[in-house]
Every structure is written in C-alpha cells, then in structure tokens.
Amino acid sequence: MTVRRSTSQIAALTALLLVQPLITAQGPAATPPPAAGGMRTFDTDTGQRIKVTEVAGGLVHPYSLAFPDASTMLVAERAGRLRIIRNGVLLPTPAWEAAAPPPGSPPPNNPPDALHFIELHPGFATNRLVYLSYPKYGPRGNTIAVGRGKLTGDALTDFKEIFVTDAWGTFGANPGRMLFGRDGTLYLTVGDRDALCCNGSEDSSERMRAQDLSNDFGKILRIRDDGSIPPDNPFVKRAGARPEIFTYGNRNAYGLAYHPDTGELWQSEIGPLGGDEVNILLPGHNYGWPFVSTGRNYTGTPVSSQPWFREGMDEPRMVWVPSISPSGLIFYKGDRFKGWNKSMFLGALNGKALWRVSFNQPQQAEKREVLLASLGVRVRDVQQGPEATFTSRPSANRLARHRLVPCCV
C-alpha cells in the first residue's frame, strides 16, 4: 500500500456550486437559504466574508455545469436536458435532449436518469466540442456512455456517441464524471453498481467486480478524445483486461481535479457507511475497494477481514468518517478570496455543505472548513467560474444557480 503526501499548498476558491436550486456564492453569512433572487452573507475562517446570491432558477434536478464563455453556463438536467444560462437567464429551449430508452429496456432504480456530466474539449475555443456522459439503455439495463457534439449558437449539433462502458445493470450509482488530462486524454469514472449493498446481507459478490480487470465496474477509465484507447494505458497489453482501465478498486467517484502545484490527479470517492476518500490516482494502481475501507458495510460490519491495509493497495490521501458523500472537486486558483488560493473544495451530498481544505497550515497540516451548511442543500457540482464564483445544486426538484463572491468589507 502506498501512502501519498502533498508538500504543496492547495488552491483557493472561486467556484460554481451546483445545488437545487442553483446558487452562486459571493461573500459572508449564516441564515436560511436565500429565497429566489435573495442574498445571504457568511463569515469564513480566513476572515473573508462571502455573499451567496441566486442568479438563475427554473431548472429541474441539475447535475453538473460548465462555462463555455464568461456570459454562458451549460447545465445538465438529470432527466436528459442540456440547458443554457446566458447572462443570468435560463433559455427556454434545451440545447440538447437525450433520446428515449429503447422499448423494453429495464428502468433505472432512480428515474428519470438520462444525463450526468459535462466536459469541454481543451480546444473548445476553436472546435466548440462539448462532451456529455449519460446512461445508455438496452436489454441489460443501463451503463455509462460518452458522446460529443458541437455547440453551435444555442444548440448542441452533430452529437455522436464515442464510448460505451462495460458496466451494465439496473441498480447502483454510476457517476460518469469526466476530466480532460493535460495530455488531451479523457478520464471517466464508473461506479461499482453494487445492488446488494443495502439489502441487509453480507453478500459482496457484486462489489467485487471493482477488483476484476475484465469489466469497467469500480474503475477510472482513460480514453482518447475520439473514444479510442491510448496505447500507453496500463493494461493495454494484459490478456483479459479492459484496455480503457486506468485505475481499479474504486467505489463511486464524483470528483476529479489536478493539483495546481504537483500536477497530481486527485479524485473524490463516496465510501460505504463512512469511509469517504480523496485519492491521488496513478496509472494501474489498485485503490482497495471492496477489501480496504475506513467505512463499514451498511449492516455495520467491517468491509472485509482486513479492512485497514493490504499490500499492493493504495491508501487514500484523506478520509471522512462519518460520511459526507463528496461530490464535485476543484482546487481554487486565484486571489479574489482571502486565504483561499490553492485550497481544495469539495461538494457534500449527505453533508449538505461546501468543504474547504487548506494544506500546510502553521498549526494544522490540513485544515478543514465547512461552508454554507446553513443553506441545507446537497452540493452536487463545484466549478470555478470565469469571475471566480461558485455555483451549487441541492436535491430539491428545482435548480437555482447561486454565485459565491467576496463581499462586505
């Protein structure tokens, strides 16, 4: 097992939090969630006050977001619609809509479920390519697929499916978080899809697929921008292994981000009963699930006979017990928020907050700060906006974009 340590400080915060409603934060406060168009202020540990303002509403179960330009935001609605917010106004017509599942396809366990994450191509400024991850349906249930199209005006055109994962089923989380690497390859997260996790049994047969290289369950994948396989992937030449696999032994990863100083690829992962993790991903490495975890089975028992350490399995960089269900992950880069440059930010679903982690502090190596908890919203996605703002998404049946900015001298 490998223990990783970071010697550099993490990025500070300017981000968009995806909550339902969608909220942008700007400065101080501690009072209930803002009404539509309302504003709240919050104090922070650095003395920076922030303001949270709702800047757009009317969305239904927003899941992720991206910024094509300084005045435009793309938002994925889980029901299968890609929406555009321009200059704070939600356009009435979706830019793209998912096709209906083929007749006879088994339904998902938590419908509607038709669109997850958005990622812009590194060359978006010239090629206008937008990548979407979404459940693909068929006779065996559904699995995560990736497609891409060209953003032309207010529509996503020439959309084409480029990759389909081998993680078919009808139950269980399947995130589909995407991130373009610095070499232009695309990383994609696939959940373990354990349908037996919460039925009161000790049956670990389904989660064990995360240790099997012949499928994509519980893996981080790496593909080219056209959906083909990079020849330098770690298992390309291993007989019986899926060539797209980059890491394995992962549970349900909802966040990916590059450390601003070290260039390491960091990942946030929801554990079982407790045991949420942040990992540093290395090609071909095994991150232990379901053999190793600081969490427990939902029956309360340890996840295995030796859950604390196993040779050849990497330890997490950070853990949370009890669980916060970490989602979106970024390192903030900027000086707009006092003391936040190179801090790590995590959305929390069960934790209903935005977490900031600052590293190499004088009296505390890794200081954790809980932000926006009084809003009481599940923060699904966190992004740094063009103006160093945050947007968040709670789990209500509407979405409001909230912006987080410095305020109130």
Side-chain angles (χ1 to χ4, degrees):
M1 183 185 300
T2 303
V3 179
R4 310 199 223 286
R5 302 183 183 276
S6 171
T7 56
S8 48
Q9 285 195 285
I10 302 181
L13 185 65
T14 293
L16 215 76
L17 308 171
L18 191 56
V19 300
Q20 272 173 308
L22 182 62
I23 302 173
T24 303
Q26 296 182 351
T31 52
M39 181 271 286
R40 290 187 50 193
T41 57
F42 295 80
D43 294 315
T44 71
D45 287 353
T46 66
Q48 171 72 67
R49 304 186 75 202
I50 56 175
K51 179 173 67 177
V52 177
T53 309
E54 179 182 310
V55 298
L59 292 159
V60 178
H61 206 141
Y63 206 87
S64 62
L65 52 93
F67 293 95
D69 58 55
S71 61
T72 306
M73 182 171 66
L74 299 177
V75 179
E77 291 182 325
R78 191 169 179 267
R81 294 175 294 270
L82 181 66
R83 308 300 301 274
I84 295 178
I85 297 173
R86 182 167 290 126
N87 296 317
V89 177
L90 176 65
L91 303 190
T93 303
W96 177 88
E97 292 189 67
S105 300
N109 62 293
N110 188 21
D113 188 12
L115 181 59
H116 288 188
F117 287 99
I118 309 166
E119 180 74 358
L120 304 182
H121 191 279
F124 175 81
T126 55
N127 64 26
R128 308 294 292 174
L129 289 176
V130 176
Y131 289 69
L132 303 178
S133 67
Y134 51 91
K136 177 183 177 69
Y137 290 86
R140 293 186 289 163
N142 64 79
T143 189
I144 282 291
V146 175
R148 69 180 185 183
K150 182 175 291 187
L151 188 62
T152 306
D154 296 336
L156 192 66
T157 62
D158 301 324
F159 189 81
K160 179 183 178 182
E161 188 169 276
I162 63 168
F163 186 81
V164 179
T165 63
D166 180 22
W168 292 91
T170 59
F171 188 89
N174 206 0
R177 168 67 74 175
M178 297 177 291
L179 178 71
F180 269 103
R182 294 178 174 177
D183 60 357
T185 59
L186 182 65
Y187 294 91
L188 174 69
T189 70
V190 183
D192 75 343
R193 311 209 65 187
D194 181 11
L196 307 175
C197 68
C198 315
N199 65 0
S201 77
E202 299 291 326
D203 189 342
S204 64
S205 57
E206 291 200 355
R207 72 193 74 159
M208 282 299 299
R209 296 176 298 193
Q211 289 292 319
D212 183 355
L213 295 176
S214 69
N215 64 65
D216 290 333
F217 293 96
K219 313 293 194 304
I220 310 298
L221 311 183
R222 178 175 177 256
I223 60 176
R224 286 170 162 167
D225 65 353
D226 62 357
S228 61
I229 306 301
D232 59 345
N233 269 5
F235 301 109
V236 163
K237 297 181 180 180
R238 182 177 296 191
R242 301 285 300 188
E244 63 268 20
I245 295 173
F246 184 73
T247 67
Y248 64 110
N250 303 106
R251 191 170 183 264
N252 295 316
Y254 282 88
L256 293 171
Y258 277 100
H259 191 285
D261 289 335
T262 66
E264 297 163 328
L265 180 57
W266 290 45
Q267 168 248 34
S268 59
E269 181 173 318
I270 297 177
L273 188 62
D276 296 336
E277 299 178 355
V278 167
N279 294 297
I280 299 175
L281 301 182
L282 293 173
H285 281 225
N286 181 351
Y287 290 83
W289 179 253
F291 290 122
V292 176
S293 175
T294 56
R296 288 178 169 254
N297 293 319
Y298 288 98
T299 58
T301 61
V303 298
S304 73
S305 60
Q306 187 181 323
W308 57 91
F309 171 88
R310 295 200 184 204
E311 195 66 37
M313 297 182 182
D314 287 15
E315 291 182 354
R317 178 64 176 77
M318 303 179 70
V319 297
W320 274 261
V321 179
S323 176
I324 62 168
S325 298
S327 52
L329 166 68
I330 68 166
F331 289 95
Y332 174 73
K333 298 177 286 291
D335 58 7
R336 194 167 180 195
F337 295 85
K338 178 183 176 182
W340 285 10
N341 186 44
K342 299 184 179 180
S343 288
M344 181 176 75
F345 288 84
L346 284 164
L349 299 173
N350 286 350
K352 294 185 178 181
L354 177 68
W355 283 70
R356 182 177 77 91
V357 182
S358 55
F359 295 84
N360 300 328
Q361 299 302 296
Q363 296 179 338
Q364 190 172 356
E366 296 176 356
K367 182 176 176 60
R368 304 185 186 190
E369 179 181 8
V370 180
L371 300 166
L372 312 184
S374 62
L375 293 177
V377 296
R378 289 162 59 89
V379 179
R380 171 68 68 180
D381 200 10
V382 182
Q383 298 291 337
Q384 180 163 339
E387 299 177 355
T389 61
F390 283 95
T391 302
S392 65
R393 161 204 175 288
S395 291
N397 227 3
R398 60 182 287 272
L399 174 69
R401 174 180 179 269
H402 290 69
R403 186 177 182 215
L404 189 153
V405 297
C407 96
C408 315
V409 178

